[in-house]
Amino acid sequence: APVVGALSGALQMRRPFVETLINLRPSNADEAYALVSNLPVDKSHRVSLVYEDDPEGEAVLTAMKDYQRSVGNRVYTSGAFEPGAFDPAAAADAIFAGEKIPETVVLYSRSAADLAALMKEVENRLGPEGYEAMEFATFSDADAEELHHSLAALSVSVKPGQLILSQVVPDP
């Protein structure tokens, strides 16, 4: 019997192909590719990635690097963390490892609270002016309600257009 409505972005749900499995969301790699394809494509746009150090996080990193390379750009800085052990200070250190501040920070994490904590850390380090010049993006498996509550609990300010929650529908 077919399984309809799988919400996992895991590659294991796609490879090898199972014709009786209908996913309602894309793979994390496909979502990463779609997310970065909607960012500015000029070569000077700096995109940093912080991701869970697991096969899915590696797939996200590879997809982002592949897309960036295809438009003549690259992932500016990146950092990995053990699943379930997110450290916003270490993540910010990875983001700011380059000579310049990135314009976009992409976080691949299964916890929306991690994004709120990272945004607060960046806001504390850069101050309001530097922080407001950045945009932050995360994936569709981030719980929007959890993110809302986490941002409010940490008193993180978010201006319109500063936060991207990817919502990508897979090809049938």
Side-chain angles (χ1 to χ4, degrees):
V3 175
V4 178
L7 294 174
S8 174
L11 288 174
Q12 299 90 324
M13 300 290 284
R14 291 159 172 76
R15 293 186 184 104
F17 177 73
V18 178
E19 65 183 47
T20 57
L21 178 62
I22 311 295
N23 290 288
L24 290 185
R25 64 169 292 231
S27 71
N28 294 318
D30 289 344
E31 192 169 346
Y33 197 90
L35 193 153
V36 295
S37 70
N38 285 291
L39 297 175
V41 292
D42 67 54
K43 293 181 182 180
S44 66
H45 190 85
R46 294 176 300 278
V47 178
S48 292
L49 171 67
V50 178
Y51 61 97
E52 290 188 3
D53 192 9
D54 62 14
E56 291 305 312
E58 290 293 328
V60 166
L61 175 63
T62 299
M64 287 185 60
K65 284 182 174 180
D66 288 349
Y67 178 78
Q68 294 291 83
R69 192 175 313 113
S70 76
V71 297
N73 203 340
R74 63 185 176 86
V75 174
Y76 184 61
T77 57
S78 64
F81 63 94
E82 290 298 317
F86 183 73
D87 177 354
D93 288 345
I95 290 165
F96 298 129
E99 293 179 17
K100 297 182 178 181
I101 295 172
E103 285 91 5
T104 305
V105 174
V106 177
L107 175 66
Y108 174 72
S109 172
R110 289 172 183 84
S111 170
D114 292 348
L115 181 61
L118 177 60
M119 291 173 75
K120 185 64 176 180
E121 180 69 24
V122 170
E123 184 178 36
N124 289 341
R125 288 190 188 197
L126 295 181
E129 189 174 304
Y131 165 76
E132 289 179 4
M134 295 179 73
E135 63 185 354
F136 298 84
T138 195
F139 292 76
S140 63
D141 55 353
D143 183 294
E145 188 173 339
E146 177 190 5
L147 179 59
H148 171 75
H149 291 297
S150 299
L151 290 168
L154 294 172
S155 300
V156 177
S157 62
V158 181
K159 67 179 179 130
Q162 186 178 20
L163 180 58
I164 302 166
L165 293 176
S166 173
Q167 296 295 317
V168 178
V169 177
D171 290 331

